[in-house]
Amino acid sequence: MLKVLIPTMMLFPTIWLTSPKWLWTTTTAHSLLIASASLTWLKWTSEAGWAFSNMYLATDPLSTPLLVLTCWLLPLMILASQNHINPEPVGRQRSYITLLALLQTFLIMAFGATEIIMFYIMFEATLIPTLIIITRWGNQAERLNAGTYFLFYTLAGSLPLLVALLLLQQSTGTLSMLVLQYSQPLQLSSWGHMAWWAGCLVAFLVKMPLYGVHLWLPKAHVEAPVAGSMVLAAVLLKLGGYGMMRMMVTLDPLSKELAYPFIILALWGIIMTGSICLRQTDLKSLIAYSSVSHMGLVAGGVLIQTPWGFSGAIILMIAHGLASSALFCLANTAYERTHSRTMMLARGLQMIFPLTAVWWLAANLANLALPPLPNLMGELMIITTLFNWSPWTILLTGLGALITASYSLYMFLMSQRGPTPNHIMGLQPFHTREHLLMTLHLIPIILLMTKPELMWGWCY
Amino acid sequence: MANYKEAPLATRPKTLDPAEYFNLSPDYRRAEEKRAALRAQLKRQYLEQLNNPHRKELIEDPALTRWTYARTNNNYFRPTAKTSLIGGLFGVLPLFVLYVVFKTDRDKREAKIKAGTYERPYKLST
């Protein structure tokens, strides 16, 4: 664990001490080295359930895929930000990369935490760099509103979590995940206990986001700069899913009754947010609502607490992280050239950017869960286990899959096909950096097809 | 064109209607000339921008800007009886309907499992 954490902390001196000419090269190379070091976590040798541990941090099959995803994403974020940060003075460029590296450190510590309170502190700590990225480097005036919604929705959800964790510490004497998994199922029956149960989960449901409390997400995703959107979509939403999976271990007997409203909100949310996607004019907003839709499926999979549900949830989280981040990168390339996110404006791009049309196609096919990509595997496992839970869910999930396919197709056809407007013929050609960014997003998805055991979590 | 006769089942197109060209009042003609002048100005402005070899940015279309602003920022929603009904029907009622459906289905299955009569149709590990 330290072999990744210490290089990540050393990223800060790297950022502030390299000469401006080499800043982006050095930080990208350093973060790529950290990413390759993190791949060693994937070799699962421990018999004890937790590996690579020290006193406070450890990895296990649930957190390893998410940790590797986090480490992989930092070089991609730095690559994506190079163009739009370039005009700023060097000090501000360094601050930007510092915020990304800070976010990375907090995320590694959050996913690697063995004490739930440490996870909570890191969960809260990730809010600060993200807030600064959104409100300082976003592009429209609405970014202030977006930052406010983002901060206060998450905080309002997580304050009850703090109280619930302190109560848990009082009653069981420990908050270490290593110990809590063996604790007795708590006898929970009164209204107070139900409030405690809700308090444990609401923070993660807001972060996921669940359909009723999802309003912060489109605002935050749309107003954030590309690195902010990437990290939000790919990793921060998964913090919610991961937290839910960890907390469910201790919440047991009550979950059977109390989970119904949230499962229903998640499933209905798939359809509602999918339908909203079909009516969007803003490209990033469409991708943001599609994130809510996919995360609704993940939330449903986690809340019914079956092995296939958990595995499907992790697989879908990893695959969606990569695919959604790829889509935000593509949307950013269009934004950097036309300075507008309107889909109708940048149409017919296939004629002028043919190779990019391939990336658009691949990313959209990944988003609509095309077999044999892991997106489908995750969705299929969750849909199957929901069907086993109650056959009526197939109506909602099936309709949701159909709507997902239609808005992904809509996004592809709107941006790539059709007549290219005359006045956007003079756009800059695609940079090698942007092609590299897209391959680095899509190759892991394709490689994960060949070895899905890396993603399955505890249940393989 | 003076002796244009319509086909038996077709109507005369508007551009060949004599009323479009003859017996027009001078006011109407002046108004039409002004509108044509405005259109020509707009077209000239667009073509100047389009064919400008030093242009590096997009040509801004104010109609598109207004349309996107109207679609995204303004909220034309007003809570009336009809919108509340639709909101309740699609946003609130399905939640309760789904709760009833899932609860009864799961309770039936739980009762069967407790009584030992539930036959598992699939050999799944879930």
Side-chain angles (χ1 to χ4, degrees):
Chain A
M1 177 63 71
L2 280 179
K3 67 175 172 291
V4 171
L5 203 50
I6 292 194
T8 314
M9 299 217 213
M10 293 311 285
L11 199 51
F12 297 113
T14 309
I15 296 169
W16 287 95
L17 295 177
T18 47
S19 71
K21 206 163 56 145
W22 289 99
L23 175 61
W24 292 92
T25 319
T26 326
T27 46
T28 317
H30 189 150
S31 41
L32 264 174
L33 281 174
I34 298 177
S36 22
S38 76
L39 288 174
T40 57
W41 281 326
L42 288 172
K43 183 160 173 48
W44 192 249
T45 50
S46 158
E47 296 288 328
W50 295 83
F52 298 103
S53 63
N54 60 28
M55 267 174 72
Y56 308 106
L57 303 168
T59 70
D60 86 328
L62 176 53
S63 55
T64 305
L66 290 164
L67 277 165
V68 177
L69 178 66
T70 313
C71 295
W72 183 246
L73 217 70
L74 183 61
L76 267 51
M77 287 195 279
I78 299 179
L79 267 178
S81 314
Q82 252 180 298
N83 195 7
H84 76 94
I85 292 287
N86 223 0
E88 305 205 9
V90 178
R92 242 173 267 169
Q93 293 184 14
R94 294 192 208 265
S95 316
Y96 189 74
I97 311 179
T98 308
L99 284 169
L100 297 179
L102 197 59
L103 198 52
Q104 172 87 334
T105 322
F106 290 148
L107 283 168
I108 294 179
M109 289 206 274
F111 284 124
T114 51
E115 295 269 340
I116 303 188
I117 201 74
M118 174 154 171
F119 174 72
Y120 174 78
I121 295 175
M122 291 304 142
F123 178 82
E124 297 294 301
T126 56
L127 289 181
I128 308 288
T130 319
L131 180 71
I132 301 179
I133 293 177
I134 296 177
T135 51
R136 169 63 184 80
W137 275 280
N139 284 312
Q140 273 79 34
E142 287 84 15
R143 67 186 191 269
L144 303 171
N145 199 11
T148 313
Y149 265 70
F150 169 67
L151 186 68
F152 285 108
Y153 263 70
T154 316
L155 281 181
S158 57
L159 279 181
L161 176 62
L162 181 61
V163 176
L165 286 179
L166 293 174
L167 280 173
L168 186 60
Q169 163 85 8
Q170 279 284 62
S171 70
T172 59
T174 177
L175 275 180
S176 168
M177 293 180 205
L178 298 134
V179 176
L180 276 179
Q181 55 189 348
Y182 299 115
S183 62
Q184 297 292 337
L186 304 166
Q187 301 303 323
L188 305 167
S189 47
S190 72
W191 285 102
H193 290 138
M194 291 197 214
W196 173 80
W197 185 93
C200 281
L201 280 188
V202 166
F204 305 121
L205 289 170
V206 169
K207 194 81 175 172
M208 279 221 72
L210 188 68
Y211 172 55
V213 290
H214 68 288
L215 272 182
W216 63 270
L217 188 133
K219 291 190 204 287
H221 273 101
V222 166
E223 302 303 331
V226 62
S229 290
M230 285 167 73
V231 77
L232 263 173
V235 187
L236 289 177
L237 301 187
K238 292 27 178 192
L239 261 183
Y242 174 75
M244 256 171 38
M245 287 201 240
R246 289 290 186 206
M247 287 306 292
M248 287 297 217
V249 169
T250 61
L251 294 177
D252 227 322
L254 255 185
S255 300
K256 277 176 69 169
E257 305 302 316
L258 289 184
Y260 280 96
F262 301 113
I263 302 177
I264 291 167
L265 270 173
L267 290 176
W268 188 239
I270 303 174
I271 298 184
M272 293 299 274
T273 50
S275 315
I276 294 179
C277 278
L278 288 168
R279 292 281 297 166
Q280 288 297 321
T281 52
D282 182 335
L283 184 55
K284 278 178 92 168
S285 191
L286 198 154
I287 307 172
Y289 273 108
S290 91
S291 281
V292 181
S293 178
H294 287 284
M295 285 298 116
L297 207 52
V298 171
V302 173
L303 284 166
I304 61 177
Q305 295 188 290
T306 59
W308 273 37
F310 271 39
S311 293
I314 310 175
I315 299 178
L316 187 54
M317 286 203 288
I318 304 294
H320 169 262
L322 288 165
S324 203
S325 182
L327 279 170
F328 274 116
C329 288
L330 285 170
N332 181 58
T333 60
Y335 180 77
E336 279 178 8
R337 284 166 177 75
T338 59
H339 289 289
S340 160
R341 292 190 296 263
T342 315
M343 278 198 289
M344 192 155 288
L345 186 64
R347 278 174 295 160
L349 293 178
Q350 187 169 9
M351 277 292 119
I352 36 182
F353 299 133
L355 180 55
T356 314
V358 175
W359 304 139
W360 271 101
L361 180 66
N364 275 313
L365 289 177
N367 202 21
L368 65 84
L370 185 80
L373 296 175
N375 304 66
L376 177 79
M377 296 305 136
E379 281 195 17
L380 206 56
M381 287 178 93
I382 298 181
I383 292 180
T384 314
T385 187
L386 277 171
F387 181 73
N388 192 21
W389 184 76
S390 167
W392 295 97
T393 56
I394 197 79
L395 294 171
L396 296 171
T397 51
L399 188 60
L402 179 67
I403 297 181
T404 306
S406 42
Y407 68 67
S408 297
L409 192 64
Y410 172 64
M411 186 180 4
F412 178 67
L413 292 178
M414 196 55 149
S415 60
Q416 303 303 114
R417 299 285 162 85
T420 315
N422 272 336
H423 59 272
I424 66 170
M425 291 296 198
L427 297 178
Q428 270 191 7
F430 241 64
H431 306 177
T432 313
R433 172 186 62 87
E434 290 165 339
H435 286 304
L436 176 65
L437 191 58
M438 289 314 299
T439 48
L440 286 178
H441 272 110
L442 295 172
I443 285 186
I445 301 187
I446 297 177
L447 286 178
L448 278 172
M449 270 197 292
T450 59
K451 195 169 170 60
E453 293 96 55
L454 299 173
M455 290 192 291
W456 281 353
W458 301 301
C459 317
Y460 92 93
Chain B
M1 278 290 128
N3 37 9
Y4 172 79
K5 282 201 180 48
E6 299 105 335
L9 293 171
T11 52
R12 183 180 280 257
K14 195 160 184 287
T15 47
L16 291 178
D17 189 355
E20 283 282 308
Y21 304 103
F22 309 120
N23 309 326
L24 291 173
S25 67
D27 284 332
Y28 184 79
R29 290 176 86 125
R30 259 178 267 129
E32 267 307 314
E33 278 161 23
K34 284 208 187 80
R35 279 182 225 134
L38 279 171
R39 274 200 300 273
Q41 255 181 0
L42 282 171
K43 184 165 182 177
R44 189 191 177 91
Q45 183 188 27
Y46 177 72
L47 284 177
E48 266 178 22
Q49 283 179 294
L50 184 67
N51 297 321
N52 178 6
H54 299 297
R55 172 176 66 94
K56 280 202 277 213
E57 64 286 324
L58 283 183
I59 301 178
E60 194 216 334
D61 180 2
L64 189 63
T65 319
R66 283 195 301 267
W67 181 77
T68 48
Y69 180 76
R71 287 276 295 227
T72 57
N73 293 0
N74 267 350
N75 223 340
Y76 292 109
F77 176 74
R78 223 183 341 123
T80 65
K82 180 174 166 196
T83 58
S84 307
L85 183 68
I86 295 180
L89 210 61
F90 281 95
V92 180
L93 188 66
L95 304 177
F96 290 104
V97 165
L98 286 170
Y99 181 76
V100 169
V101 166
F102 289 148
K103 197 84 168 68
T104 46
D105 188 50
R106 291 289 296 172
D107 286 344
K108 267 196 284 195
R109 190 182 297 195
E110 280 291 310
K112 271 207 216 153
I113 292 180
K114 286 206 171 91
T117 59
Y118 180 62
E119 354 153 333
R120 298 182 179 274
Y122 320 108
K123 293 184 176 50
L124 286 179
S125 60
T126 70

